[in-house]
């Protein structure tokens, strides 16, 4: 793969070198990261994506890029509404996998026994592969949830209306049509709302340990030494099934629309096709399910923390800073070639990052820009950034979404051998619980890039700028 360094942190795969590409591909990374990036097939996937029809300007990869299904994780694929295509491989199986961050008015010194808190959270929060929760939805209630997202959760007693104003898209994608969701997907999701899931999904009590931008941190309610809650989860089995169902439909669509793709995982159809319209309607349902899920998980976790401290939830003075989606395609508008263009932006393991003043931000967030939450591994730290001025031009308002894997799950387990990951973390005063030891080996810190290096790239390019750093204390995983 021939990749050219344009300037610090910016690399380009050029059409001059690969004329089969319709647009160039851009990668944002540091020199130090390039060896790991070039060792997997993620750049080939990025190059393949650049061969799809109707792409606006280019395809983009964030510094947490790694191999995925179709589009690499950390990939951004913007397409014109009038001549582009929609590809489920540009979103992935865990539709609207995302993360939300809550801050408490609790000092670290008040947490006397973090090990008992992690056990308490683990007992209260349903987690694990296929794990169901206590919320059993009728078909009628599921239909409302899929259409309303976070609003359904709030109206059902899980949180406050103010939470919606601190959630991307107010916790609901329009155009959701439950009739496009298969019975199997509904069945898989019927008891999974309010559950964490498995893999890299987690719930974490952390500590704000460094502030980089005092004004923005104060504006958002972040204070050094105070506790936070971070939740990383998605649309569970429902979203996975929707992706599975539509991948078969889109593979058949290739012949119908005479579209040639270098990889069947990037099977696609025109934006205005019947296949794309139905997928976008079903994907919106999955996105709304995920937002409702995280809204409920927040309510369960806040209640558990309040129970642990023997106070009422409102006495914690908790505040939802923001909730962002990672795997999604959304219709957005950009000024391209002196013209306002309707663009469908596929973000696959990438976070929306709106700059200050953007029209899609609620009024209370316009001054500082959109909060951009970047979780790291469970042994180091996470970051919260704010969308910055270069995001529209460099990445269609997109930033990284996490640390990014350097070891596959299988290789991580093999590398870990007989190590006791929980005990290693306990030595660092990080208390972790999981359904199985294998999960902790799959998710061990060594399996990920150092998120500080990832964040530095988008910060230096002014795609999103650092506000604060958060260190983990208590972590539960599936």
């Amino acid at each position: 793969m021939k990749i050219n360094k344009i300037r610090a942190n910016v690399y380009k795969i050029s059409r001059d070198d690969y004329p089969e590409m319709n647009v160039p591909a851009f990668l944002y990374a540091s020199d130090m990261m390039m060896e790991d990036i070039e060792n997997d097939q993620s750049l080939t996937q990025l190059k393949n994506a650049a061969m799809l029809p109707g792409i606006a300007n280019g395809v983009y990869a964030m510094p947490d890029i790694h191999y995925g299904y179709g589009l690499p994780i950390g990939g951004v694929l913007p397409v014109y509404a009038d001549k582009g295509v929609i590809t489920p491989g540009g979103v992935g199986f865990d539709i609207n996998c995302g993360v939300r961050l809550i801050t408490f008015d609790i000092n670290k010194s008040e947490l006397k026994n973090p090990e008992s808190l992690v056990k308490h959270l683990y007992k209260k929060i349903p987690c694990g592969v296929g794990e169901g929760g206590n919320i059993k939805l009728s078909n009628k209630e599921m239909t409302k949830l899929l259409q309303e997202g976070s609003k359904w959760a709030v109206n059902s007693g899980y949180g406050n209306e103010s939470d919606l104003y601190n959630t991307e898209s107010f916790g609901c994608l329009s155009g959701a049509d439950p009739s496009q969701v298969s019975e199997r997907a509904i069945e898989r999701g019927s008891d999974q709302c309010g559950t964490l899931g498995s893999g890299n999904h987690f719930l974490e009590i952390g500590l704000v340990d460094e502030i980089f931008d005092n004004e923005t941190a104060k504006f958002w309610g972040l204070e050094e030494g105070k506790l936070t809650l971070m939740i990383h989860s998605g649309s569970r089995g429902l979203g996975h099934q929707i992706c599975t169902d539509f991948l078969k439909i889109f593979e058949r669509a290739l012949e119908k629309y005479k579209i040639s793709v270098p990889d069947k995982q990037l099977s696609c159809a025109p934006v205005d096709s019947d296949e794309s319209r139905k997928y976008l309607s079903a994907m919106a349902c999955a996105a709304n399910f995920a937002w409702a899920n995280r809204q409920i998980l927040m309510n369960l976790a806040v209640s558990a923390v309040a129970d642990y401290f023997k106070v009422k939830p409102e006495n914690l003075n908790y505040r939802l800073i923001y909730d962002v989606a990672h795997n999604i395609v959304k219709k957005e508008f950009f000024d391209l070639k002196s013209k306002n263009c309707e663009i469908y932006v596929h973000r696959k393991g990438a976070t929306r990052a709106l700059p200050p003043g953007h029209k899609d931000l609620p009024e209370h967030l316009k001054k500082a820009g959109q909060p951009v939450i970047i979780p790291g591994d469970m042994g180091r730290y996470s970051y919260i950034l704010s969308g910055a001025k270069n995001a529209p031009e460099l990445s269609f308002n997109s930033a990284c979404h996490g640390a990014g894997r350097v070891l596959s799950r299988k290789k991580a387990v093999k590398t870990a051998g007989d190590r006791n990951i929980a005990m290693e973390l306990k030595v660092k005063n990080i208390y972790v619980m999981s359904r199985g030891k294998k999960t902790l080996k799959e998710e061990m810190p060594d399996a990920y890039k150092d998120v500080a290096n990832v964040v530095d790239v988008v910060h230096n390019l002014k795609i999103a700028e650092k506000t604060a750093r958060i260190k983990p204390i208590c972590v539960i995983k599936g």
Side-chain angles (χ1 to χ4, degrees):
M1 177 73 65
K2 186 173 181 182
I3 182 162
N4 306 298
K5 184 174 182 180
I6 304 301
R7 56 188 172 92
N9 299 140
V10 181
Y11 294 82
K12 181 181 180 181
I13 304 172
S14 174
R15 293 183 66 203
D16 293 336
D17 298 314
Y18 300 99
E20 64 271 30
M21 295 164 58
N22 292 321
V23 292
F26 297 93
L27 166 65
Y28 303 127
S30 67
D31 294 345
M32 178 179 64
M33 294 175 178
M34 288 305 295
E35 184 177 350
D36 283 331
I37 291 172
E38 291 177 310
N39 276 340
D40 73 6
Q41 294 299 305
S42 57
L43 290 182
T44 298
Q45 291 186 312
L46 190 68
K47 173 175 163 283
N48 288 343
M51 299 181 199
L52 298 181
I55 301 173
N57 290 10
V59 294
Y60 305 85
M62 297 297 124
D64 52 338
I65 182 176
H66 55 286
Y67 187 77
Y69 184 96
L71 190 68
I73 297 166
V76 179
L77 171 65
V79 301
Y80 290 106
D82 58 348
K83 56 186 177 183
V85 293
I86 299 296
T87 172
V91 174
F93 287 91
D94 193 0
I95 297 168
N96 191 4
C97 175
V99 62
R100 66 172 47 197
L101 179 65
I102 298 97
T103 182
F104 296 113
D105 187 18
I106 305 173
N107 289 309
K108 168 64 169 65
S109 59
E110 297 176 64
L111 180 56
K112 305 297 184 185
N113 190 346
E115 192 165 12
S116 65
L117 175 56
V118 78
K119 290 177 181 177
H120 188 69
L121 287 167
Y122 188 73
K123 183 179 178 181
K124 296 289 185 181
I125 307 297
C127 58
V129 178
E131 183 74 14
N134 296 321
I135 300 171
K136 314 295 181 186
L137 298 172
S138 66
N139 286 342
K140 183 179 179 181
E141 282 302 298
M142 177 65 92
T143 296
K144 286 184 69 177
L145 184 154
L146 297 181
Q147 292 172 323
E148 297 178 359
S150 290
K151 182 181 176 182
W152 177 89
V154 169
N155 288 342
S156 300
Y158 299 99
N160 306 299
E161 188 174 355
S162 62
D163 297 336
L164 305 181
Y165 292 90
N166 291 299
T167 303
E168 181 176 336
S169 297
F170 302 96
C172 181
L173 276 191
S174 62
D177 182 357
S179 71
Q180 302 305 327
V181 179
S182 69
E183 288 185 14
R184 177 60 181 144
I186 295 288
E187 180 186 345
R188 290 184 67 182
S190 62
D191 68 344
Q192 290 190 336
C193 203
T195 66
L196 193 61
S198 60
N200 64 347
H201 293 163
F202 65 82
L203 188 148
E204 173 186 300
I205 298 293
L207 165 73
V208 179
D209 86 317
E210 187 170 359
I211 301 289
F212 304 100
D213 180 342
N214 288 312
E215 184 178 356
T216 301
K218 186 176 181 181
F219 184 62
W220 289 343
L222 286 164
E223 188 177 334
E224 198 166 329
K226 293 293 177 74
L227 298 185
T228 60
L229 167 67
M230 190 179 293
I231 298 168
H232 181 211
S233 189
S235 51
R236 306 289 278 111
L238 179 133
H240 194 284
Q241 189 63 47
I242 287 172
C243 181
T244 300
D245 294 340
F246 276 92
L247 285 172
K248 299 170 187 173
I249 294 169
F250 275 71
E251 193 167 326
R252 293 194 296 269
L254 291 175
E255 184 177 352
K256 176 180 176 181
Y257 296 107
K258 309 300 180 191
I259 297 174
S260 175
V261 294
D263 181 355
K264 288 291 177 66
Q265 293 184 0
L266 287 170
S267 293
C268 56
V271 169
D272 64 351
S273 67
D274 189 53
E275 291 84 354
S276 290
R277 284 193 294 271
K278 288 180 177 179
Y279 169 73
L280 291 171
S281 293
M283 185 215 66
C285 289
N288 293 344
F289 184 97
W291 273 314
N293 185 33
R294 291 196 292 275
Q295 181 68 31
I296 293 169
L297 282 168
M298 179 182 78
N299 187 269
L300 295 176
V302 168
S303 295
V305 172
D307 182 50
Y308 175 82
F309 282 102
K310 295 181 171 51
V311 298
K312 293 180 179 180
E314 55 267 28
N315 292 339
L316 295 174
N317 293 323
Y318 72 94
R319 174 179 178 180
L320 172 60
I321 293 179
Y322 208 63
D323 178 303
V324 292
H326 291 157
N327 299 339
I328 204 163
V329 55
K330 297 174 74 175
K331 181 172 69 174
E332 300 175 358
F333 293 87
F334 294 88
D335 291 323
L336 303 175
K337 299 175 183 176
S338 302
K339 180 176 148 185
N340 192 250
C341 295
E342 187 177 273
I343 305 292
Y344 282 81
V345 184
H346 300 70
R347 294 186 178 96
K348 169 83 168 289
T351 306
R352 191 187 70 169
L354 301 182
H358 195 281
K359 62 180 178 60
D360 289 342
L361 286 172
E363 286 301 320
H364 72 286
L365 292 176
K366 283 190 189 305
K367 181 180 178 182
Q370 181 206 302
V372 178
I373 309 160
I374 311 297
D377 62 76
M378 59 186 174
R380 281 179 275 203
Y381 27 62
S382 299
Y383 287 82
I384 180 164
L385 301 85
S386 58
K389 64 179 183 180
N390 289 342
E393 179 186 353
L394 292 183
S395 59
F396 283 81
N397 287 334
S398 308
C400 52
H401 88 304
R405 297 191 76 95
V406 289
L407 297 177
S408 68
R409 287 182 169 84
K410 185 176 179 180
K411 193 169 182 180
V413 171
K414 185 177 179 181
T415 301
D418 59 358
R419 288 166 56 187
N420 187 327
I421 304 302
M423 190 56 66
E424 290 178 15
L425 292 170
K426 186 175 179 179
V427 170
K428 297 180 178 180
N429 296 314
I430 301 169
Y431 300 88
V432 180
M433 290 192 72
S434 169
R435 287 286 176 206
K437 292 181 180 178
K438 183 182 176 185
T439 297
L440 295 186
K441 290 178 180 180
E442 291 175 343
E443 295 298 308
M444 65 180 182
D446 318 47
Y448 288 89
K449 300 172 187 176
D450 185 337
V451 73
N453 298 329
V454 172
V455 163
D456 279 346
V457 171
V458 296
H459 175 84
N460 292 341
L461 291 171
K462 296 194 182 303
I463 290 173
E465 295 180 298
K466 291 189 287 189
T467 299
R469 187 176 74 178
I470 298 166
K471 295 192 75 171
I473 301 172
C474 304
V475 185
I476 65 169
K477 284 184 170 283

